[in-house]
Amino acid sequence: MSNVRHQILNVKNGFSLIELIVCLFIINLGMIGVLSLVLQNIKVESTNKNALIASQLAQEGLELVRNQRDNNWLSGTVVWTNNIDNFPTYIIDYSYKSGAVTGVGEIDDEKTKLYINKDGYYTHESTSNSPTIFSRLISAIVSDKGDYLDIKSKVYWKERGRDYNYEAEVYLYDWK
Amino acid sequence: MIGSNKQIKQKGTTFLEIIVAVGIFSIAILLATSIFQSVSDGQRSAMVAQNIQEDVRYAMEIMSREIRMAQVFDKTKCFKEDQLTKNRIYNTENNAQNQNQNGLYFKNEEGDCVKYFIENNNLVKIKEGSTDLIPLISNKIISTKIIISNLRFYIIDSPANPNGANIQPRVTIALDVEYSGKKMHKQQIKIQTTVSSRYY
């Protein structure tokens, strides 16, 4: 008789606390997995966005140096490398005028930083302009024979405490 | 004996127990749904960013390629209404509604007249053949879901230089883009590049 009572009691038993905790733990694990995937996605999107801007800015650097070389050709009086190989590393921006190239040492130099001016363009001019996260440095190396210039345009930026960079390179020749 | 035992076990839950159980259950469900909500929102804003990036990359690519290969104007008129500066590759035209914006027009590699400008917050390209055989084509370049808040061209071209024609023309393109949607999904990109003319 007591045996029957015992059996009936057993059948009606609910979950134990341990079972509940294990169950919740497994559910949470799944949730956290999905959530972290989405967070990762958002982070990557933001990095992608900055990489897109950086790629265009790096391209701009190369085009400006090429523009300088073409201007040297057109002037007819200066050598084709004029104002390009004066310094191993330097800055140049969209508003540059011939002969206004200044040497800058390293990428973390304050001068390499890009600002947005009142017309909405990225520039190296800092006064009364708002800073961006981007910095750009141009490096120019003359080849051993002196027949071409190895131009590199590096764009650096900091995001969530990590350093990123985008580098573009072109060889410029004295070929018309 | 058995009967009386069964009666005890069939006893229902008390009102208090139900309230506590429902309370705990609803808190758990609320947590789960809020997590789900934030996950789906995050996913959506990531998708928005992806779409903007694709469109911006495409717009910058086709614009810079066409601008790079532009030719010098040998005529004084390209589009019927526009007066062009002769012996110049690039010309800009201020936007009547917004002084911060302008459009760029030039003759492309094939000899057709091309103009890039903003209209109703979208990037528009119009093209007209050098002969009258090709009709005027007007195209929206990017998705209408994306707002182009600003587009400017900064040109350096020969007549702008007082010293004469000893200058290689260049164009700086600045494009500001945002997504038109819910505020939380607002994404902005400010992108710029410069193109040096390949016309020698």
Side-chain angles (χ1 to χ4, degrees):
Chain A
M1 197 56 76
S2 69
N3 205 10
V4 172
R5 192 202 295 177
H6 192 69
Q7 266 182 358
I8 291 166
L9 268 174
N10 259 351
V11 169
K12 289 275 182 179
N13 249 356
F15 294 111
S16 75
L17 188 63
I18 303 291
E19 281 171 333
L20 201 72
I21 287 171
V22 168
C23 172
L24 281 176
F25 178 75
I26 290 168
I27 290 172
N28 274 349
L29 217 65
M31 286 281 193
I32 288 167
V34 173
L35 195 69
S36 70
L37 197 71
V38 170
L39 282 178
Q40 182 70 16
N41 223 346
I42 293 166
K43 270 185 208 164
V44 168
E45 283 306 331
S46 159
T47 309
N48 276 351
K49 184 183 102 175
N50 288 331
L52 175 62
I53 297 168
S55 71
Q56 298 288 329
L57 287 172
Q59 178 66 25
E60 177 180 74
L62 296 183
E63 290 279 328
L64 289 168
V65 176
R66 175 188 284 269
N67 191 254
Q68 174 71 72
R69 180 201 63 177
D70 293 356
N71 283 338
N72 292 340
W73 282 346
L74 288 167
S75 80
T77 51
V78 294
V79 291
W80 69 282
T81 56
N82 185 44
N83 280 328
I84 299 175
D85 63 346
N86 292 3
F87 302 95
T89 54
Y90 59 97
I91 54 168
I92 187 167
D93 72 12
Y94 84 105
S95 62
Y96 94 92
K97 290 175 189 66
S98 223
V101 174
T102 49
V104 173
E106 291 295 322
I107 191 70
D108 50 9
D109 194 308
E110 267 304 295
K111 285 178 190 162
T112 62
K113 207 162 177 58
L114 286 161
Y115 299 82
I116 301 281
N117 68 9
K118 64 173 171 41
D119 296 324
Y121 295 108
Y122 285 91
T123 173
H124 286 302
E125 179 63 49
S126 61
T127 41
S128 73
N129 292 333
S130 50
T132 66
I133 54 169
F134 300 102
S135 301
R136 182 176 60 204
L137 188 70
I138 310 287
S139 73
I141 300 160
V142 188
S143 71
D144 294 339
K145 286 182 188 168
D147 55 345
Y148 69 86
L149 284 166
D150 181 2
I151 310 293
K152 285 184 184 131
S153 174
K154 294 176 197 168
V155 175
Y156 283 68
W157 75 96
K158 228 183 185 68
E159 194 185 339
R160 293 193 184 86
R162 276 192 64 191
D163 287 322
Y164 294 87
N165 71 77
Y166 192 99
E167 188 175 326
E169 185 179 20
V170 72
Y171 287 177
L172 291 181
Y173 292 84
D174 188 17
W175 295 341
K176 276 181 219 183
Chain B
M1 198 64 170
I2 292 167
S4 75
N5 255 349
K6 261 189 182 164
Q7 243 184 357
I8 292 163
K9 278 183 213 113
Q10 294 265 318
K11 218 180 174 186
T13 46
T14 66
F15 186 59
L16 195 73
E17 280 172 338
I18 288 178
I19 287 181
V20 170
V22 167
I24 291 170
F25 182 73
S26 58
I27 285 169
I29 292 293
L30 213 71
L31 275 173
T33 40
S34 72
I35 288 171
F36 182 77
Q37 175 98 37
S38 68
V39 162
S40 84
D41 269 341
Q43 200 56 41
R44 199 173 302 161
S45 67
M47 218 169 68
V48 164
Q50 179 74 37
N51 286 342
I52 293 183
Q53 282 165 31
E54 275 173 21
D55 278 23
V56 167
R57 187 179 288 122
Y58 173 71
M60 291 304 274
E61 195 60 45
I62 62 154
M63 274 199 293
S64 56
R65 196 167 60 179
E66 201 160 23
I67 291 167
R68 189 173 284 132
M69 303 309 291
Q71 308 179 38
V72 75
F73 272 123
D74 39 11
K75 296 190 297 175
T76 51
K77 278 193 176 185
C78 198
F79 296 103
K80 283 186 183 69
E81 73 275 23
D82 290 327
Q83 197 69 32
L84 300 174
T85 317
K86 216 177 172 180
N87 297 325
R88 203 167 157 161
I89 298 181
Y90 306 113
N91 285 273
T92 52
E93 182 187 62
N94 280 330
N95 190 333
Q97 277 99 47
N98 189 338
Q99 282 302 304
N100 290 324
Q101 301 171 353
N102 61 16
L104 181 81
Y105 53 107
F106 55 88
K107 193 165 99 172
N108 76 1
E109 204 181 4
E110 279 105 46
D112 301 332
C113 290
V114 175
K115 189 170 175 180
Y116 285 103
F117 59 103
I118 320 183
E119 195 176 66
N120 301 325
N121 288 323
N122 200 313
L123 176 65
V124 177
K125 170 190 175 178
I126 59 172
K127 191 170 120 177
E128 194 180 49
S130 48
T131 63
D132 288 336
L133 294 172
I134 306 169
L136 189 79
I137 303 165
S138 177
N139 276 333
K140 281 180 177 156
I141 304 283
I142 60 170
S143 159
T144 46
K145 278 184 184 168
I146 293 162
I147 290 180
I148 303 268
S149 48
N150 215 344
L151 173 71
R152 276 174 315 282
F153 297 98
Y154 175 84
I155 59 171
I156 300 263
D157 206 339
S158 305
N161 182 14
N163 301 328
N166 293 336
I167 195 163
Q168 186 68 16
R170 66 173 194 263
V171 180
T172 301
I173 312 161
L175 188 69
D176 298 356
V177 182
E178 57 188 61
Y179 176 77
S180 66
K182 280 188 195 165
K183 222 172 205 155
M184 63 200 305
H185 302 312
K186 198 150 247 173
Q187 297 269 345
Q188 283 182 310
I189 296 188
K190 189 171 181 56
I191 197 158
Q192 173 184 318
T193 198
T194 296
V195 174
S196 178
S197 171
R198 301 292 196 274
Y199 185 85
Y200 298 111

